[in-house]
Amino acid sequence: MLWLKRLNFIETAKLEMELMKAFEAGEDLDAKVQAQAQRAEAGDPEQAWKLEVWQKMLIRIRKMQTLMQNQPNPKR
């Protein structure tokens, strides 16, 4: 049923939000993705899919971080 989850954008969004919440909580995202990569190495397709989604989301989060750093502080 993994193929069905891959097609379901809600399932993908849940995984993306899991990583986004970790970002908002100040967790080490690189370590979190690396730990997921180790779980995916065991050959579980669900874990590999989660890794794939997280790797893509990590790129988006890094872009957001860059944009946030370049924004002027409105409270000044």
Side-chain angles (χ1 to χ4, degrees), residues 15-71:
L15 294 176
E16 291 173 344
M17 281 306 299
E18 190 176 336
L19 195 62
M20 183 57 87
K21 286 180 182 179
F23 167 65
E24 291 171 350
E27 294 181 32
D28 183 355
L29 298 182
D30 293 316
K32 196 165 183 74
V33 171
Q34 183 61 34
Q36 182 59 36
Q38 291 173 351
R39 285 189 289 275
E41 286 177 359
D44 183 0
E46 292 259 349
Q47 297 299 323
W49 175 56
K50 184 175 183 177
L51 175 62
E52 180 184 326
V53 171
W54 277 15
Q55 287 172 330
K56 291 176 184 176
M57 189 63 189
L58 185 60
I59 292 168
R60 291 185 209 133
I61 290 171
R62 296 297 184 226
K63 286 180 183 178
M64 286 188 290
Q65 283 179 316
T66 302
L67 290 173
M68 290 181 342
Q69 289 172 354
N70 294 335
Q71 293 295 319

